[in-house]
Amino acid sequence: MAALPLEGLSAIVTGAGRGLGRAEALELARLGAAVVVNDFGQPGRDGSGQASKGPAEEVAAEIRAAGGRATAHTGDVADHQQARELVQLAIDTYGKLDILVNNAGILRDRMIFSMSEAEWDSVIHVHLKGHFNTTHFAAAHWRERSKAAGGPVYGRIVNTSSEAFLAGSAGQPNYAAAKGGIVGLTTSTALALGKYGVTANAICPRARTRMTEDVFQGFQEPAAGQLDPLAPEHVSPLVGYLASPAAAKVNGQLLVVHGGMVAIVERPRVAAKFDTAKEVFSYEELDELISPYYEDRPPNETFAAAEVLGLKHG
């Protein structure tokens, strides 16, 4: 019988008590990985309510009931020390850490002119700092192992960005900024850790979860027995692939995934270039060159490519 692709590997999935994280944890376990299921367990999608061990424990129990290996962690990944403890738990329990899937997040939506400082800070804290914290400790672990081994080791990071970063989301300036920051964190990490054998990639998933119930409230849910095109189960196989040995050459990439579709997003390309006829640009020259370029173009043409792919958020 052929070995499972993630057999002998261990993984952390953050925010894995519900929705996308749960589907991803179950998929990694199905592919053979031992999984640390992390979830702070607060009931509110805005990070409100009493933290609970329930969601993480339930998913870990579900994995074990299916014959897999899993342990629960209920700490807050936005807390630097608790993120350290999460990574150490995987190392202590399974001997090493091989895969990190960062998924934990909250929403506090508001238009930019109405958003409070606390609403901005909290979303950046959980999404962007949470991704940094776990990545920092996982990266240190892989670097130490690589030095001890005298060569590359196995390491995979899958981060969670969003189409809110790609195509804009008017009522989510904090969320869109955090998700854009996660892409920058991912590409920087990919460059820094490649020599140690570690890859880092980001996904922009579209799925019907507690976090997106408002976004997709106009989309009809399928009839009983039919798979929802917006089900998290459309996203989790890509995470399993990126976590696997098969994706060894996939590094520093951004991929959009939903409903049986995966799109690899190119880095921004230059759309137009203007050179001054003099030593330095003047206001008048810039006006003469740049203003006509936008004269006949529709609003938001910057995101036309995203719209063609069907990637526009919301």
Side-chain angles (χ1 to χ4, degrees):
M1 185 175 181
L4 295 170
L6 303 184
E7 190 72 44
L9 302 177
S10 67
I12 289 171
V13 183
T14 73
R18 305 176 179 92
L20 278 170
R22 173 183 173 274
E24 291 162 356
L26 293 174
E27 177 69 3
L28 295 184
R30 188 187 71 81
L31 295 175
V35 184
V36 178
V37 179
N38 163 265
D39 200 286
F40 199 35
Q42 291 175 306
R45 65 176 186 168
D46 62 351
S48 62
Q50 185 66 38
S52 168
K53 295 182 179 180
E57 294 283 6
E58 288 168 11
V59 175
E62 187 175 355
I63 290 172
R64 291 192 294 268
R69 294 186 296 161
T71 189
H73 179 271
T74 56
D76 179 5
V77 294
D79 180 281
H80 203 60
Q81 181 57 34
Q82 292 181 53
R84 181 201 300 268
E85 292 167 0
L86 169 60
V87 172
Q88 194 60 49
L89 175 63
I91 297 167
D92 292 344
T93 305
Y94 301 117
K96 58 183 173 54
L97 172 65
D98 302 294
I99 300 158
L100 171 63
V101 180
N102 284 310
N103 179 71
I106 63 170
L107 289 178
R108 292 193 180 177
D109 294 353
R110 194 87 63 184
M111 298 298 283
I112 187 66
F113 42 77
S114 303
M115 181 165 287
S116 69
E117 181 180 12
E119 288 166 340
W120 173 271
D121 287 348
S122 60
V123 170
I124 299 297
H125 184 67
V126 175
H127 285 274
L128 187 51
K129 188 181 179 188
H131 273 60
F132 161 74
N133 284 342
T134 53
T135 298
H136 167 76
F137 293 113
H141 168 65
W142 288 320
R143 182 170 176 262
E144 279 184 27
R145 281 176 52 199
S146 178
K147 286 187 172 183
V153 296
Y154 192 98
R156 299 285 187 271
I157 300 171
V158 182
N159 288 332
T160 306
S161 184
S162 170
E163 294 171 83
F165 149 70
L166 273 178
S169 184
Q172 297 182 305
N174 48 4
Y175 182 74
K179 292 306 189 181
I182 286 167
V183 174
L185 172 65
T186 303
T187 54
S188 175
T189 301
L191 289 172
L193 300 186
K195 64 182 178 181
Y196 301 117
V198 179
T199 67
N201 296 287
I203 63 170
C204 293
R206 186 189 297 181
R208 195 193 306 274
T209 69
R210 183 180 58 142
M211 290 273 286
T212 60
E213 58 188 12
D214 292 343
V215 173
F216 296 124
Q217 63 182 353
F219 291 78
Q220 186 176 2
E221 295 193 36
Q226 293 182 332
L227 182 62
D228 187 349
L230 294 171
E233 287 74 19
H234 285 295
V235 175
S236 54
L238 176 62
V239 173
Y241 166 73
L242 292 173
S244 76
K249 293 185 178 180
V250 184
N251 195 25
Q253 300 298 298
L254 177 64
L255 303 97
V256 177
V257 53
H258 62 82
M261 187 280 296
V262 173
I264 299 171
V265 180
E266 287 187 330
R267 296 192 181 193
R269 294 185 294 171
V270 175
K273 179 175 176 289
F274 306 98
D275 296 307
T276 181
K278 305 171 185 177
E279 187 175 352
V280 64
F281 274 115
S282 66
Y283 166 85
E284 291 77 13
E285 187 182 15
L286 289 169
D287 183 28
E288 289 174 3
L289 291 173
I290 298 177
S291 295
Y293 177 77
Y294 288 101
E295 194 72 34
D296 299 321
R297 283 170 167 73
N300 299 326
E301 194 197 33
T302 304
F303 304 120
E307 291 175 12
V308 168
L309 284 171
L311 310 181
K312 189 166 176 57
H313 183 74

